[in-house]
Amino acid sequence: MSVMASYQTQALEMKQHGIYVAFDATQVIFSGPDQTRVVRAVVDGEADYGLVRSDLLWMMQAQGVLNVSDLHVVNGVSGVSFEGKEFPYPVTGKIFPGWPFAALRHVDRAVVQKVAMGLLKMPSSHRAVVQGSYGGWLLPSTYTPVRNMLEHLSMIDGDTFTCKDLRSSYLRLDCPPKTYKLPERDASDGCAMAGIGCPESSECWCSPCRVGQQVQVLPTTLKKLHIGETAACVKMRPCGRAEQGSFQTFSVIDYGGHGHFNVTFKMHGGSEQEKVDGRCWEAGIRGWSCEFSVSSQRRGNHIIEIFNGEEQIVASPILFNVVSRNCSFAGLGRQANHIGDCVCGEGYVGLNWFCLSHMQVFILCVLLCMCAGAAYVGAIP
């Protein structure tokens, strides 16, 4: 499924009833221009439902390759009138005008009129009509409903009325409100991750729509988890952790395709820092990705404000937790102080580069006294 008669019209009908193919279906399969593959997949139990032209089932039945009674037309309505004539097949939803025969502006007007008159006079028994499996030609209908449908499905720009680049089947998928659509490269392995196979010569998408915010912040240690679920930072909740003096890197990912991102951040914790720029790049067909790293010598939670331009993103601010530095490398008894320096801890005394416990100091003093006493006794004439 991919074109108007085998996806767009049905997608619009479902959307008007609160059903979004990309969100409500476990898997969406674009099988290419041969719509009989869709029918066979449903008949063979490889798909639960399929989207095809209204006349295809009866054409296949006439060819003896299908029994229409074996299938169920969802919400099928018969006897629908279109431009004063009864439509011959059951349909699911509204009927739209068929393919128009158009001419470019440079074509001579006389040629356009001659071709148009020839098509209008073509009888239903004409060889071209029979081979094309259609009923004939009529004066063109208004295509405003088609434009409205494409705009409703986000397939054209509503401001400029220009078509979007839909060469990728992924760009035809529409997500419901309060969800965001993953960038294509992040969604491409969705079916494989879910353990669902994809038929040969098809494009398959599984769970490309996610519930959540379109702009998310993720610690790099969690970046490889299921993006959009538990990995994302939550406003004013601890997110990310590092030792004193170590760096934690965060990724800011824009799934909404809002245009160029200009991420800066500001961290508060003891002393306020100036805004610092993050590093941003374009992340595939949709969206942007940015990274920034933070570090502090002071233990505790630090507030990080994240901006796109002059405005804070929805998930900002977040809390960054700084824990004590691991000083085991510096020797026994050392621990980090409030600014991350490895010093002798409580109960230890510094002696040159060593930290000695009180018991060790006592034993050392006893040994030194014994050695000094022995040396004094040995020195008597």
Side-chain angles (χ1 to χ4, degrees), residues 131-352:
Q131 290 180 348
S133 300
Y134 58 88
W137 294 88
L138 300 171
L139 290 173
S141 303
T142 174
Y143 279 78
T144 300
V146 177
R147 186 195 65 79
N148 292 340
M149 174 190 68
L150 295 176
E151 185 177 355
H152 201 66
L153 294 175
S154 302
M155 293 184 178
I156 63 173
D157 191 316
D159 296 326
T160 62
F161 302 122
T162 55
C163 295
K164 296 181 179 179
D165 185 354
L166 300 178
R167 284 174 291 183
S168 168
S169 63
Y170 189 68
L171 298 180
R172 300 186 183 106
L173 297 177
D174 194 22
C175 293
K178 298 183 179 180
T179 67
Y180 63 88
K181 188 178 177 183
L182 292 177
E184 184 172 346
R185 70 176 183 181
D186 290 342
S188 60
D189 61 349
C191 294
M193 293 179 63
I196 303 175
C198 183
E200 187 177 353
S201 302
S202 301
E203 294 183 5
C204 303
W205 306 101
C206 299
S207 304
C209 303
R210 301 294 173 85
V211 177
Q213 300 166 359
Q214 289 184 312
V215 179
Q216 294 192 336
V217 182
L218 301 93
T220 53
T221 52
L222 298 177
K223 192 176 173 183
K224 298 300 181 183
L225 295 179
H226 235 311
I227 296 176
E229 298 180 343
T230 57
C233 298
V234 179
K235 187 171 186 174
M236 287 305 294
R237 298 284 184 87
C239 187
R241 186 176 69 171
E243 293 182 3
Q244 292 168 297
S246 298
F247 284 89
Q248 168 70 67
T249 300
F250 291 90
S251 292
V252 182
I253 303 177
D254 169 30
Y255 293 112
H258 297 115
H260 180 67
F261 242 47
N262 179 28
V263 163
T264 57
F265 70 93
K266 184 189 295 182
M267 185 166 72
H268 308 264
S271 62
E272 183 175 323
Q273 298 181 357
E274 293 297 322
K275 283 187 183 179
V276 181
D277 290 336
R279 184 175 65 92
C280 299
W281 62 91
E282 199 167 2
I285 300 295
R286 291 167 60 94
W288 285 74
S289 183
C290 304
E291 284 189 351
F292 64 90
S293 298
V294 294
S295 176
S296 177
Q297 299 289 355
R298 298 182 180 275
R299 292 187 292 253
N301 284 328
H302 299 257
I303 296 176
I304 302 177
E305 295 180 289
I306 307 168
F307 301 82
N308 178 24
E310 296 299 320
E311 295 184 3
Q312 286 198 61
I313 66 173
V314 176
S316 176
I318 61 173
L319 299 181
F320 167 56
N321 183 239
V322 178
V323 297
S324 295
R325 182 184 182 188
N326 184 356
C327 291
S328 59
F329 71 92
L332 183 67
R334 289 190 179 273
Q335 64 183 34
N337 62 11
H338 67 289
I339 58 173
D341 293 332
C342 291
V343 297
C344 293
E346 186 177 353
Y348 287 84
V349 177
L351 182 62
N352 291 332

